[in-house]
Amino acid sequence: MKRLLQHIHHRLLGKRMLKRIERDRSFQYRDIQLHLNPGVFHPGYFDSSMLLLECVEKNIQPDDMVLEVGAGSGIASLRSAQIGAQVTAIDINPDAIEGLIKNAARNDLRMNCVLSDLFQNVSENNWDYILINPPFYPKNPQTNAESAWYCGEGFSYFENLFLQLRHLHV
């Protein structure tokens, strides 16, 4: 019963939230201005983005090596770069990567933006921090945009993430 209620809540809230998010394609955090491409996770509507930014504010130092996996809007990457970290932001969604590149330039920040399914296209593996705001709804994504929400019916995203993390030097 609990799973059914969660599913109904997600379906109702999700559709309403997605319509609202698609209309609001901008976001500001401190002096970082973002324009978000359609289908890219909007950080302004989710507590998880603010929690990740709190982590960045408390921990990231200049010259830290930071990797943001599934960066989406890239707000955590952009703030890390603003602090002075050496940042690589990766995402499976080409629209997210395009937006990251433009938003880095818009905010006069330098960082690497890489189209990658998890660590597939990442050659560096010596990170001080790996940031991630993972998808957590158990459904198979049908589009790149849905990859921000759905982790696979069997939570395959996490299985792949943990298998690949074993090979990194963190």
Side-chain angles (χ1 to χ4, degrees), residues 27-34 36 40-44 46-62 64-91 96 99-100 103-104 107 109-113 127 129-134:
F27 181 74
Q28 181 173 344
Y29 178 76
R30 295 182 177 227
D31 58 344
I32 298 174
Q33 300 278 337
L34 297 182
L36 304 167
V40 174
F41 190 86
H42 193 299
F46 305 97
D47 292 338
S48 58
S49 298
M50 294 304 109
L51 290 171
L52 191 56
L53 281 167
E54 279 182 39
C55 178
V56 166
E57 298 283 345
K58 289 179 184 175
N59 295 290
I60 304 299
Q61 300 294 315
D64 280 346
M65 297 286 292
V66 175
L67 173 69
E68 186 177 10
V69 177
S73 72
I75 189 63
S77 291
L78 292 163
R79 180 62 184 131
S80 297
Q82 192 177 52
I83 291 169
Q86 297 176 42
V87 178
T88 298
I90 62 176
D91 204 289
L100 282 163
N103 284 319
N107 290 282
L109 296 170
R110 295 188 64 202
M111 57 189 227
N112 297 321
C113 302
W127 307 102
Y129 293 95
I130 296 175
L131 309 175
I132 186 167
N133 186 1

Side-chain angles (χ1 to χ4, degrees), residues 5-170:
L5 290 174
Q6 287 175 332
H7 177 73
I8 291 168
H9 179 260
H10 168 67
R11 300 285 280 172
L12 294 174
L13 179 62
K15 287 181 182 181
R16 200 170 349 149
M17 183 61 77
L18 287 174
K19 285 182 183 180
R20 184 173 180 189
I21 290 169
E22 287 304 317
R23 285 192 306 267
D24 182 9
R25 303 310 310 155
S26 62
F27 181 74
Q28 181 173 344
Y29 178 76
R30 295 182 177 227
D31 58 344
I32 298 174
Q33 300 278 337
L34 297 182
H35 173 77
L36 304 167
N37 288 338
V40 174
F41 190 86
H42 193 299
Y45 292 101
F46 305 97
D47 292 338
S48 58
S49 298
M50 294 304 109
L51 290 171
L52 191 56
L53 281 167
E54 279 182 39
C55 178
V56 166
E57 298 283 345
K58 289 179 184 175
N59 295 290
I60 304 299
Q61 300 294 315
D63 297 320
D64 280 346
M65 297 286 292
V66 175
L67 173 69
E68 186 177 10
V69 177
S73 72
I75 189 63
S77 291
L78 292 163
R79 180 62 184 131
S80 297
Q82 192 177 52
I83 291 169
Q86 297 176 42
V87 178
T88 298
I90 62 176
D91 204 289
I92 195 170
N93 186 343
D95 294 327
I97 295 300
E98 177 189 335
L100 282 163
I101 292 167
K102 289 179 180 176
N103 284 319
R106 179 179 288 117
N107 290 282
D108 198 27
L109 296 170
R110 295 188 64 202
M111 57 189 227
N112 297 321
C113 302
V114 179
L115 182 65
S116 186
D117 183 358
L118 293 174
F119 306 100
Q120 186 177 39
N121 297 327
V122 177
S123 57
E124 175 68 46
N125 68 0
N126 191 19
W127 307 102
D128 295 306
Y129 293 95
I130 296 175
L131 309 175
I132 186 167
N133 186 1
F136 51 86
Y137 289 109
K139 178 180 171 185
N140 292 327
Q142 301 302 309
T143 66
N144 286 327
E146 286 185 1
S147 294
W149 301 95
Y150 302 124
C151 62
E153 291 194 19
F155 296 93
S156 58
Y157 174 89
F158 291 100
E159 183 178 339
N160 292 331
L161 173 68
F162 295 137
L163 285 172
Q164 292 179 37
L165 277 172
R166 301 189 317 190
H167 302 290
L168 298 179
H169 303 120
V170 181

